[in-house]
Amino acid sequence: EGTVQDDFRYSVVLSTGDGAPVVQEIASDDALAIRLLRPSFASSISNSLGHPTVDTALRAGKWVLDPSGAPPLIQPNATAGNETTNDPFRDALQSLLYITQSASTAAGVKKFSLEDVTYRPQFDPWRYPTGSEIRYDFARPPLAKSASTNGGGQTIGPNVFRKLSVFVRDSRVERTCENVDIEGHEEIVALKQRGLNSNPYLRDLLRRIEKKQTTTPIVPKVAILDVSYPKSAPVGLPSDAVIGNLATFQSAFLQAFTSGVLKPKPGDKEPRACNRPHAKTI
């Protein structure tokens, strides 16, 4: 969840899949402030989170302010060639630019409607829009099912498996919901139901994807971002923060995140912000 004042001032909260907040980050010009909203999370990051003063403050759930710790300004090509920077805060801040990039690789963008004859609710992971919300769905390029139907030499990338929806209210993006889903792709589901050998082309493609042998590795991902646009409540730095260097914490946090410290465990519920029960009939 994020509050964005402009490119240099923002606040972002990282939560676990069940919605429990874990880490909050505030950037304002050159300064960066961080606190652990669940202090016990510190033990899963590293034995040391930096200077003893910084380490003690973070483990106590207090703010730590690094006057020169703000990251570089996010640029549109920051993740060129990659689906993720492995930094959840950078990826979240990249999301609105990422939507624009995704639109250029999608087969089209259309307004969600239950009246759409091509809509298949069993393959839709997201909730319906409510009230004055408008939901826009990014259509995926079709997956070639044989060498003959791939005469144009389709480049297999994450966009072929991406289910991306954007929720808009009053002409502003309020929520983005993305799921890069290999196993849940309609053609892959049908292939496994028929048996892998029923289509050698798709079978071999699936094996290449699983071995990360495509030009851009395809990694399953669920990413949800809520954005608010404050009118009179600009993002501000905490006044009671401990001053210190956050470089050690940031390095340890990224290593822990990349290794899967927040990865959902078997049986965990999907994020509630966008998920909905599937309708049995329509």
Side-chain angles (χ1 to χ4, degrees), residues 158-173:
N159 61 313
V160 179
F161 296 90
R162 176 181 292 116
K163 295 178 181 178
L164 175 63
S165 293
V166 176
F167 292 81
V168 176
R169 194 190 304 272
D170 298 328
S171 301
R172 283 181 166 178
V173 173

Side-chain angles (χ1 to χ4, degrees), residues 61-73:
K62 296 181 179 179
W63 282 106
V64 173
L65 173 65
D66 186 337
S68 58
L73 182 66

